[in-house]
Amino acid sequence: MNNKRQNMLSQKLSNRRLLVDLLALMFGLGAWIGVNGIYVQLPLLVNEAPEGWSLPAHMVMLVQFANLGPILYTLYIKYNKWSCDKYITYVLLAAGAMSTFILAFLYDKTTVIFGNKHSTALLSLMFVTAIVGCTSSVLFMPYMRNYREIYLVSYLVGEGLSGFVPSLVALIQGVGGNPECLNSTKPGSNVELTPYYPEPRFSSQTFFIFIGTLLFLCFLAFLGLNNLSVAIGERVKHSANMETLPTDTRAPPSYKTNSGWAMSKQVYSYLLIMMGMVCFLGNGTLPSIQSYSCLPYGNVAYHLTVTLSSMAGPLAMCLGFVIKMPEVNFLSGLMVIVIALSSFVCFLAIESPTPPLQNTWLGEFLVVLSWILISGLIGFIKLGITTLFRPDPGRGLYYTGVATQIGSLIGAIITFVLVNHAKLFHSYSPCLLVAAN
């Protein structure tokens, strides 16, 4: 039996080149690692940035504006017959690596705009990395069609790791603990309590240099995919008239086809609405208010929430490789749980700066657990909906992408207005609470 298993494993490995697997994995890693790397540093950034707790809302809006990248790319391939996907990818990966290296030295620099301080360097450089991530969905993955299908899985694993790796490193980095209130003398001999935030194991500068180095390795991996003989030998040939886009957007919105795929119009529309809702919550609304729901419970709770929930999404999506995808009714049940948990964390955010169970271990546990479950369930639901549409020979996956972008954009805009203009959410200073007590 053992010999049989060894022979099967040897046969599988002999049918592929592990170096090409590694190059494809590193290529996929470069898709979102820049944005995810900045995001998991939020527990260290929000306390120093002039935007304060509203910094996540600004970052979410920037990611939505970065969808300008795939729009421009789509227009380019529509009106330009000369294909240069390879060179565009080189530019994007190089820009992502350079912007992250520069960010390591400028992330705390601010400028005054319209009389208010803003984290101009942080937000503008994050916009560059966000363009890389958004454009990867229409450029990086379709580029893997040039290689045998077995290497697409390696690419997808790498894309999943683009959220897992920064979270793991940030978890090791830590936040140093919750702030301490120390006496400080202000001009005029007034003594006030000011928060002192303990130092993490290593600085944000070191973290961004590490992420920039990984992005540079991703650039080298793509260089290897295009130039190493072992990778060139794993390419496949396509007909000259093959459609450039990953989905045939000219096909009719079919619900019942001769290819064996069938779905009622009601279920078709329902799944697209569900995809829009989970992206409304997961990509737009919830990340914007995460600081308000977590920080009242302390820096440690916020740090664990950001890092562990960022891991939960990719891990939940990996379940698609080992279990059978659920039916629509099961996804609907999970959606109900997501809405209930999302309502709970939104309630905590609205109750800031004094939410229930503050300064208790139970409060910290509940808020961290809720965010982990939300992230994992949203990732699983998105994977389930995409899997149900994957056999559609029509425009199912195209409409899924449209629902994703519309839901994310609406959620980001609404929450940005609520956070920055409606003033529905309020931050707090732990030292003011101590002084009041």
Side-chain angles (χ1 to χ4, degrees):
M1 182 66 69
N2 290 333
N3 291 333
K4 185 177 180 180
R5 289 179 179 177
Q6 290 177 357
N7 292 334
M8 292 177 61
L9 179 61
S10 300
Q11 186 177 1
K12 289 182 179 180
L13 293 178
S14 64
N15 195 33
R16 62 196 307 151
R17 299 292 181 266
L18 295 181
L19 178 58
V20 181
D21 278 309
L22 178 60
L23 294 176
L25 184 147
M26 289 301 297
F27 179 40
L29 186 68
W32 284 98
I33 193 170
V35 173
N36 292 327
I38 297 173
Y39 182 74
V40 296
Q41 285 295 288
L42 275 174
L44 296 174
L45 298 176
V46 292
N47 295 315
E48 303 296 334
E51 292 83 3
W53 289 17
S54 68
L55 180 62
H58 287 78
M59 292 170 62
V60 170
M61 279 298 297
L62 277 179
V63 173
Q64 299 308 313
F65 286 141
N67 282 301
L68 178 66
I71 293 174
L72 292 176
Y73 172 75
T74 303
L75 292 174
Y76 169 80
I77 61 175
K78 183 176 182 179
Y79 296 106
N80 195 319
K81 295 182 179 180
W82 184 64
S83 177
C84 59
D85 290 0
K86 177 171 66 175
Y87 302 106
I88 295 176
T89 304
Y90 280 134
V91 171
L92 286 174
L93 289 174
M98 289 181 62
S99 62
T100 308
F101 276 123
I102 296 173
L103 182 65
F105 301 95
L106 300 180
Y107 71 92
D108 57 349
K109 304 299 180 184
T110 60
T111 57
V112 177
I113 301 176
F114 300 118
N116 296 316
K117 279 188 175 183
H118 289 282
S119 305
T120 313
L122 172 65
L123 294 175
S124 58
L125 291 170
M126 180 186 177
F127 180 70
V128 176
T129 62
I131 288 180
V132 178
C134 292
T135 311
S136 69
S137 60
V138 296
L139 183 61
F140 288 17
M141 189 182 299
Y143 191 83
M144 290 304 298
R145 296 176 312 167
N146 296 313
Y147 300 88
R148 294 169 56 205
E149 188 177 353
I150 57 175
Y151 298 112
L152 179 60
V153 176
S154 301
Y155 170 88
L156 293 174
V157 170
E159 193 172 283
L161 288 175
S162 68
F164 186 85
V165 172
S167 301
L168 182 61
V169 177
L171 195 62
I172 297 172
Q173 178 189 24
V175 289
N178 292 320
E180 301 176 12
C181 297
L182 303 178
N183 291 330
S184 62
T185 303
K186 299 293 183 181
S189 301
N190 293 325
V191 178
E192 296 182 2
L193 290 175
T194 57
Y196 167 74
Y197 295 93
E199 294 294 327
R201 293 185 179 89
F202 51 88
S203 66
S204 293
Q205 182 182 73
T206 303
F207 179 87
F208 288 135
I209 290 175
F210 171 76
I211 298 298
T213 302
L214 283 181
L215 272 167
F216 179 68
L217 292 176
C218 297
F219 174 84
L220 294 181
F222 186 67
L223 192 69
L225 279 175
N226 288 285
N227 294 279
L228 292 179
S229 58
V230 64
I232 295 174
E234 295 298 295
R235 288 183 179 178
V236 294
K237 293 183 179 180
H238 298 291
S239 59
N241 60 350
M242 174 171 279
E243 177 66 38
T244 304
L245 291 174
T247 299
D248 185 1
T249 58
R250 297 170 299 180
S254 54
Y255 310 108
K256 296 181 180 180
T257 70
N258 296 326
S259 62
W261 186 85
M263 180 182 290
S264 69
K265 185 175 181 179
Q266 291 75 17
V267 174
Y268 193 97
S269 302
Y270 174 71
L271 288 176
L272 292 178
I273 294 173
M274 187 188 299
M275 177 64 86
M277 288 181 62
V278 296
C279 292
F280 175 91
L281 294 171
N283 298 344
T285 300
L286 297 181
S288 301
I289 65 168
Q290 192 173 53
S291 55
Y292 294 95
S293 71
C294 298
L295 268 174
Y297 295 94
N299 266 24
V300 174
Y302 186 30
H303 171 67
L304 290 175
T305 296
V306 170
T307 53
L308 296 180
S309 63
S310 296
M311 292 180 179
L315 288 176
M317 297 183 76
C318 287
L319 292 177
F321 293 105
V322 295
I323 66 173
K324 182 181 178 180
M325 277 296 99
E327 299 295 332
V328 176
N329 290 337
F330 185 74
L331 292 178
S332 299
L334 295 182
M335 189 67 203
V336 172
I337 298 175
V338 168
I339 293 175
L341 292 173
S342 300
S343 301
F344 174 67
V345 298
C346 286
F347 168 74
L348 296 182
I350 293 174
E351 289 297 305
S352 175
T354 55
L357 300 176
Q358 191 177 26
N359 299 320
T360 66
W361 70 268
L362 181 59
E364 294 182 26
F365 174 77
L366 287 177
V367 71
V368 174
L369 179 63
S370 297
W371 278 101
I372 293 174
L373 291 175
I374 289 172
S375 180
L377 290 174
I378 285 178
F380 189 80
I381 291 173
K382 289 166 67 175
L383 176 66
I385 295 174
T386 304
T387 302
L388 291 175
F389 276 112
R390 188 176 296 160
D392 181 12
R395 303 178 67 178
L397 289 178
Y398 171 75
Y399 284 127
T400 301
V402 171
T404 297
Q405 297 303 327
I406 292 177
S408 302
L409 180 60
I410 294 175
I413 292 175
I414 291 176
T415 314
F416 185 84
V417 173
L418 292 177
V419 170
N420 293 281
H421 299 287
K423 305 298 182 182
L424 184 62
F425 305 97
H426 305 281
S427 59
Y428 86 112
S429 172
C431 296
L432 290 179
L433 293 179
V434 170
N437 295 332

